[in-house]
Amino acid sequence: MTKIDALRRFFLPCLFPTTTASDATQTTPLKKRLSTSLRDDLDEPSTTTNTNQDDQNQNQDQDQESNSPEDSVTSRPSKSMVIGTIFGQRRGHVWFCVQHQRQSTKPSLLLELSIPTHQLVQEMRCGLVRIALECARPELCSCPLRSVPVWIMYCNGRKVGFAIRRKASGQNRLMLKTMESMTVGAGVIPAGFGPSGSEAEEVMYMRANYEHVIGSADSESFHLINPDEYPGQEFSVFLLRSR
């Protein structure tokens, strides 16, 4: 009996192998790894397609926002840079000249201001000068803003007289011709300026770059741009028309 039992114990495992714990642990991870790999293979295309769709939707939204009619309807102020020159005789009044090009002797805007030169110099010593030119005449509402012939002038909130739009005379053109090589600077033109010496007094001037802002058909402004090496001087000219 002992020999038969020994043979059974030897042959039965060979004929009918039993699964051991080690085999089970080896086979089960294979199934798990296979399932996870298949799940990853199936999930990756969906995520990529979703991300692509999201990117396309974002691009479409951005295009719609950029091409939306609200942007075209809302008016934004336009800005540009011009050359502005303030000049005047010591015992005379002030002129304000605007040029788009330095070499041009025909200014795009020339205003004769009623404020005396010495008074403007005193205002500029404070570091802040704001000149507001207002047009309140209803018959001039339809004409271009720069074509208004007469303005009511305010300097730092105080009414100081009027401003008149002028055409450049030969003397004005000659003065601009002498300063065509200058973009920024201030100084004095000596007395007797001109071929015939018609100028009896020396002319003080300040020439600089200005930021030209067009807010609407009834508002424009010019703001002095200070160079980095010079102290700050705030000087602005506003053209306003009330309807």
Side-chain angles (χ1 to χ4, degrees):
M1 295 295 292
T2 56
K3 293 183 180 180
I4 295 174
D5 293 336
L7 291 174
R8 286 179 181 176
R9 292 176 183 178
F10 179 80
F11 287 107
L12 285 177
C14 296
L15 296 176
F16 303 99
T18 58
T19 58
T20 59
S22 61
D23 295 335
T25 55
Q26 291 179 358
T27 54
T28 51
L30 291 176
K31 294 182 180 180
K32 290 183 178 180
R33 285 197 295 270
L34 182 60
S35 61
T36 53
S37 63
L38 291 176
R39 191 177 296 112
D40 294 338
D41 295 336
L42 293 174
D43 290 338
E44 285 180 357
S46 61
T47 54
T48 55
T49 53
N50 290 330
T51 53
N52 293 330
Q53 290 178 359
D54 293 338
D55 295 337
Q56 292 178 0
N57 294 329
Q58 289 178 358
N59 295 328
Q60 290 177 0
D61 294 338
Q62 292 177 358
D63 295 336
Q64 289 178 359
E65 290 178 357
S66 61
N67 297 327
S68 61
E70 295 180 357
D71 294 338
S72 60
V73 172
T74 57
S75 60
R76 297 180 179 178
S78 62
K79 298 180 180 180
S80 61
M81 184 179 295
V82 296
I83 298 175
T85 307
I86 304 170
F87 62 93
Q89 299 179 356
R90 287 187 180 272
R91 291 181 293 180
H93 49 265
V94 180
W95 294 69
F96 180 65
C97 174
V98 176
Q99 298 171 271
H100 288 282
Q101 294 182 356
R102 185 177 55 187
Q103 294 81 8
S104 176
T105 59
K106 184 179 180 181
S108 59
L109 179 64
L110 182 62
L111 297 174
E112 182 181 1
L113 311 179
S114 61
I115 184 173
T117 305
H118 64 88
Q119 183 178 349
L120 181 62
V121 172
Q122 292 179 357
E123 295 286 347
M124 294 181 69
R125 288 176 181 174
C126 300
L128 175 62
V129 176
R130 292 179 179 176
I131 296 176
L133 306 179
E134 182 182 3
C135 175
R137 297 171 60 177
E139 65 272 15
L140 299 176
C141 292
S142 59
C143 69
L145 190 62
R146 294 193 184 186
S147 300
V148 175
V150 182
W151 304 81
I152 302 174
M153 180 178 174
Y154 299 87
C155 182
N156 288 340
R158 301 186 303 272
K159 185 177 180 181
V160 294
F162 298 90
I164 302 174
R165 182 178 60 88
R166 298 293 190 185
K167 292 183 178 181
S169 61
Q171 193 69 25
N172 298 138
R173 294 176 183 270
L174 182 60
M175 186 183 63
L176 295 176
K177 182 68 176 177
T178 58
M179 292 189 297
E180 66 178 2
S181 61
M182 180 189 303
T183 304
V184 177
V188 177
I189 299 177
F193 172 74
S196 60
S198 58
E199 291 288 342
E201 294 183 3
E202 58 185 7
V203 178
M204 303 176 63
Y205 70 90
M206 184 183 71
R207 190 174 175 89
N209 292 321
Y210 283 74
E211 183 182 23
H212 179 208
V213 181
I214 300 178
S216 63
D218 298 323
S219 65
E220 293 186 22
S221 59
F222 302 89
H223 306 276
L224 175 66
I225 301 175
N226 289 292
D228 296 334
E229 63 270 15
Y230 291 97
Q233 171 68 53
E234 294 187 16
F235 187 91
S236 302
V237 178
F238 299 88
L239 306 180
L240 305 171
R241 176 169 55 189
S242 58
R243 294 182 180 270

